[in-house]
Amino acid sequence: MTDETPLTWDAHLARPPAWAALTAPLAAPLLAAEPPLPWEMIPGFWGWAGLVAAGVTAAGLAARAARPRKPLLPLRFRVRLGMHPGPGFAGLIELRRGYGLGPARAIAKRSRPSLTWKDRRFGPAHEYAVFLGWAKPLRRRAYATLRDVTLTIAPPQQGKTAAAAGRVMDAPGPALATSIRGDLITLTAGVRQRCGMLHVFNPAGVGDYGSTFKWNLVAGCQDASVAIRRAGYLVAGIKASAVTDGSFWSDQAVLTLAGYLQAGGLVRVTLRTVHKWIVTRDAKPLEILQQHEGAQEESVLAVAEYLALPERTQASVATTIRNVLKFMAHPAVAEALEPRAREELFDVEQFLASRDTLYLVANADNQELAPLFLCFVSELFNRAVLEGSRSRTQALDPPLTMVLDEVANICPVPVDSWATYAAGSGVALHLIGQAWSHFKARWGEDGADVIWQAATCKIVYTASSDTEMMERVSRLLGDVRVQVDTEKVSNGTDSQGRPRYRNRPIFERVPVLPAAELRRLPPWHAAVILGSRKGTIVQVERAWKRADYKRWVKSGQPIMLPGVPVRHAPVPRPELLTPPAARPGPVPVPDELTSRRQQRRQAPPTLPVRPAEHGQAAAPDGPAVQPWRPWEPRPNSEGGS
């Protein structure tokens, strides 16, 4: 080997230097080149150390250049301009990894086995994800998974209904929606009727569409467990707090009502009959329970104990049950709960296996409907959990979407316990309220904290005046260390002895989202906190701007629902205030002869007409004319007789 011949790596290995063992692992990629590189071109130990030092220095300079600084523009202006909200919020990488479709696809692979890989990759996103809005910057679409329980807090008239409409239209399976107005039906029914049937329970006649819902609450109560569960939820609907499992067995009113419901279920009657039994304190249910071989012994004892209670205690229990069943006084409710022979009842199992939509509509003033709504929604939830537990994935597929608007007012279901296991059972819960105080008033401090903890996706709208809620959001997002200013400090002297100065940054920890900035966000914007990811600001969806809603409007297809029926009020009868003896009797209807006689008697008298003389016209007699008497002699024209 001459001096002109370059030393190859083989020769280098044959005569390695002292640092060859340290260089060999780092040089492996370079050795794979064809032809092999000369060993002089492979850096040694200090060469590699220099490269590493240069990389560390470049990373440090890049981190210093990217050091968060205090933004010049307020948050509301940055959001309006489509800029990044500021330090501490999710950036592009976090939005892609945390709020993108990747996590939703990974969860759908296990929770929705009915979707193939092609469906998850190229199919519509709403089949396995929940759209939250457009995040800043660059209007990236932010999603939650079907396993996330969403909690939305928004003041009135801030767009929470428009966002709730999107949840209903995107439901991959059956959907249940509660509302205090009829606008949710108007926004979503036209789109949802293309994939399934529409069911509406609107006893108060709110909005433009009437009820189609028919349900026999007593059907199925022949099972004692069903009777005690429905009775417990009915009684819990009139209380200040939600129902608990312990209250089922400790409340006398619950046990008594459950016994009456089981008696009604054993003989296949409706709630109207059960209500009549309770009001009149009838002993017929006790006879039914004693004679039927399938009656539960506890139900027999509960009804017998109720009938044997002292008068005052029995009246107290009866008053509680009458308050529970107060909705039976509403004609539309009684009609919906007492279907006729050929009317089709609402089938829960068929509903869970379809893509139908059920709307429960009631005014916030109709508090008497809360027990009924609570009982039905709880039955639907329990059946969905039971059906999901029998599947291979232990969850309902496709899931049941429950969009519960005004959940603390018109439908006080026990979400403090549901939220802990609903997502794993195939029920997508979307809770919507106006203020955090409503949740505390309904479920108490501890129950509200459980809801806050179990809701993995929290959405708080702008213009809120709930300081406690805004402080919760601000503390949850945390604070960030940002550069707020610089100061000039001494940096020694130069070669000529003159002092040198440098600018030293001043850092300060500030909240990522102060409460005041949250209140002043632009309209149709909300702060979103999803799981353990950084928070973000999204522009929420407006249902009337969706493409599927516009297609339905353009098609001109009407909503296949009946209108609100007009109920005629009875005609007032003030005469009922008088005693029966003083009331005028019925007026007899006269016959024809009697009618003619009465007409002649009531007709005014007419003056007789004087017969006309020869060549004169007849004239009626007046006061100045002597009456004509044919029996008296007429005077002659000469004045003689």
Side-chain angles (χ1 to χ4, degrees), residues 30 39 60-61 193 201 316 357 601:
L30 301 177
W39 70 273
L61 293 176
Q193 70 183 2
F201 184 43
S316 176
T357 310
R601 291 173 183 174

Side-chain angles (χ1 to χ4, degrees), residues 237-255:
I238 65 171
K239 294 185 176 181
S241 59
V243 67
T244 59
D245 294 339
S247 65
F248 284 178
W249 306 101
S250 62
D251 198 329
Q252 181 66 36
V254 174
L255 296 176

